[in-house]
């Protein structure tokens, strides 16, 4: 029984079942707190702790799920292609908003963490938090952060963005697919983009664009901004 | 067969993206490069829409699920997250609000 519980079959079945059920729950009650990603993560962690299973085992057993993460990022290229006309029409504004967004994102997280007494390594690990994992890892490693901690922050930002992002944007009156997609894609990468994919293909397309542009810009800008901030603060 | 061909195109683009990422030393992941390759391929008509459409829609609609294994990895960072939870969580929330506000408002202006 113990071996069966710690098999790819059992872990994949459990993960899929919990995810499908929590999606149904959200469809029924429509509360942002009932986010399927959050519920599934919490329930899977509880299940692993209860069955005394290590994360390494779970990670290995569910590779059949996480394998599709990269192809789903590539699929955003298809979504972008469908809306290329609209992107070209607004190109300048999109680029400006993404440069400002990337810079304010890095500076604000760094300064806030500094003021609240975080350690230097934590601050550097936080800086690339808004971009997809592979880019975030590279920036963190290069600047003296802790890559695995950065991965944790990337996930936290993604989950928070997926849960509260849409509600907050509604509050400040941002509702059109372009603005919502770019904001959430730039703030909460693929998880933010996934959270709005149900609102239509135009939302996914701009989410993907926000995520890609913010990723590229952060990869280029973050090392310089971090260097400058470290000189100014220490 | 149709689906297998579509899946093969996606995996091929991924592999090509990884190869380019490895040799170019760009700080871009293979998947982001693959995304740009797919966009360029479709725009230049080298890749036909009908050859990627079904799998692309399947992947886009289920993106959230593919993140779950990585998300469960949070359980490994329990100690650091507990120790510095206040600066970490406040900084993340403040920064997320700043970015969403800035990007959302710039995009909304004049549109």
């Amino acid at each position: 029984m113990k071996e069966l519980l710690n098999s790819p079959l059992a872990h994949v079945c459990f993960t899929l079942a919990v995810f499908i059920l929590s999606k149904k729950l959200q469809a029924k009650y429509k509360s942002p707190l009932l986010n399927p990603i959050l519920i599934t993560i919490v329930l899977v962690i509880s299940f692993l702790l209860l069955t005394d299973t290590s994360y390494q085992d779970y990670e290995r057993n569910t590779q059949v799920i996480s394998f599709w993460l990269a192809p789903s990022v590539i699929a955003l290229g298809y979504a972008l292609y469908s809306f290329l006309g609209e992107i070209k029409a607004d190109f300048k504004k999109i680029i400006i908003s993404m440069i400002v967004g990337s810079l304010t994102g890095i500076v604000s997280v760094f300064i806030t963490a500094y003021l609240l007494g975080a350690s230097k390594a934590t601050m550097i690990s936080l800086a690339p938090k808004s971009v997809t994992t592979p880019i975030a890892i590279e920036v963190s490693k290069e600047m003296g952060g802790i890559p695995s901690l950065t991965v944790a922050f990337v996930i936290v930002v993604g989950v928070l963005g997926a849960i509260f992002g849409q509600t907050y944007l509604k509050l400040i009156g941002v509702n059109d697919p372009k603005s919502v997609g770019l904001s959430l894609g730039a703030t909460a990468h693929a998880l933010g983009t996934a959270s709005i994919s149900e609102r239509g293909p135009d939302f996914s397309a701009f989410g993907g664009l926000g995520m890609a542009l913010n990723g590229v810009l952060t990869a280029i800008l973050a090392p310089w901004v971090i260097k400058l901030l470290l000189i100014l603060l220490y | 067969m149709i689906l297998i061909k579509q899946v093969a195109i996606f995996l091929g683009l991924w592999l090509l993206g990884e190869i380019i990422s490895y040799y170019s030393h760009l700080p871009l992941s293979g998947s982001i490069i693959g995304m740009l390759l797919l966009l360029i391929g479709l725009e230049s008509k080298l890749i036909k829409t009908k050859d990627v459409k079904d799998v692309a829609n399947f992947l886009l609609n289920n993106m959230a699920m593919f993140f779950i294994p990585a998300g469960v990895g949070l359980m490994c960072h329990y100690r650091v997250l507990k120790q510095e939870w206040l600066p970490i969580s406040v900084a993340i929330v403040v920064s997320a609000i700043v970015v969403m506000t800035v990007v959302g408002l710039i995009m909304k202006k004049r549109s």
Side-chain angles (χ1 to χ4, degrees), chain B residues 1-3 9 18 20 22 25 29 32 34 40 44-45 48-50 52 62 64 77 80-81 92 94 98:
Chain B
M1 252 332 267
I2 297 169
L3 287 180
I9 290 176
E18 292 293 344
I20 294 175
Y22 180 83
H25 302 288
S29 65
I32 297 266
I40 295 166
S44 65
K45 313 280 176 219
K48 291 189 201 99
T49 313
K50 70 165 177 56
V52 288
N62 295 288
H77 295 284
V80 183
L81 292 174
I92 284 178
V94 167
V98 168

Side-chain angles (χ1 to χ4, degrees), chain A residues 147-166:
Chain A
S148 70
L149 198 57
T150 297
V151 174
F153 296 152
V154 168
I155 301 285
V156 172
V157 172
V159 172
L160 280 176
I163 299 173
F164 300 112
Q166 293 196 70

Side-chain angles (χ1 to χ4, degrees), chain A residues 55 78 93 122 129 168 212, chain B residues 35 53 69 84 95 101 109:
Chain A
Y55 174 65
Y78 169 77
K93 202 159 78 174
T122 303
K129 60 157 188 14
Y168 175 71
Chain B
M35 174 178 109
K53 200 174 115 197
E84 293 190 58
S95 172
T101 312
K109 222 172 138 191

Side-chain angles (χ1 to χ4, degrees), chain A residues 78 81, chain B residues 5-6 9-10 13 38 40-54 56:
Chain A
Y78 169 77
Y81 171 69
Chain B
K5 187 178 167 191
Q6 294 198 8
I9 290 176
F10 275 93
L13 286 170
L38 177 59
I40 295 166
L42 287 166
E43 177 71 356
S44 65
K45 313 280 176 219
L46 280 170
I47 299 170
K48 291 189 201 99
T49 313
K50 70 165 177 56
D51 286 335
V52 288
K53 200 174 115 197
D54 307 279

